[in-house]
Amino acid sequence: MQDNSLLSCIVLGMRGELMNLGKHLIRLLNLEDIHQISRCLQIATSTLSNDLFISPSLDYIVKIISGYGYTVGAFHEDSLIGFASFVFPKRGRNNLGYMLHYDEKRLLSVVQMEHICVVPEFRRLGVAEQLIRYLMLHTDPQFAILLSTVSPQNTASLALAFKIEQRIISYVDIYGVKRFIMCANLSQQVKDNDKETFEVPREEINQLNRMLRCGYEGIALGPENETFILISRQERE
């Protein structure tokens, strides 16, 4: 049986709820779905390199489902075609907030996007975005800072992160590779209209890193996905 003691505190109106997305349904996953999760993960990762997608272990997914966070899945004709997970690390060592030098209050407000995977047949149809927005919609407002990591080479994941208003705020060594830390504030909408922007070629990662350290953040990909568009955090605020 799934332990819902934590879920009852952090999930709003989510237990047993279905979201109809045309031909797809989204719902909270449980331990009875583990075989479908395993199959979906195997199919999804068969076309992805380890540099682009760090595959979670089934043991870790079981931990999330059992109370460490929650996982939602998209179904097509009763088959799981994609899933995504949020976790609430609080003071846990895996809280990305430590790498960002967050204070205690901010650490406790972090929710982390752990993984998103969709089988190849259903990619580019908005499934991943719907999964994330469903998670965002049902997350308790006390968890206002959404953090995740993305490979600089993963154009699809970067585009999705920017679409849900995440920003590149740091470039770090993590999981044995270099990745961006992405951040979104779920409690407020950010407006960048009429702000001065700067473009950095994607291959100029060192220049980008210097600008991140000087108070800039990445807000979008430029034309043809060849550049990063940055803005000053101070100007935005």
Side-chain angles (χ1 to χ4, degrees), residues 123-158:
R123 289 175 189 159
R124 302 182 184 278
L125 297 177
V127 174
E129 182 183 354
Q130 293 291 350
L131 286 166
I132 297 168
R133 292 198 182 279
Y134 186 82
L135 286 164
M136 292 167 65
L137 178 65
H138 291 85
T139 296
D140 192 298
Q142 67 177 298
F143 299 100
I145 302 174
L146 173 60
L147 298 180
S148 63
T149 68
V150 174
S151 165
Q153 287 76 44
N154 194 332
T155 300
S157 291
L158 284 167

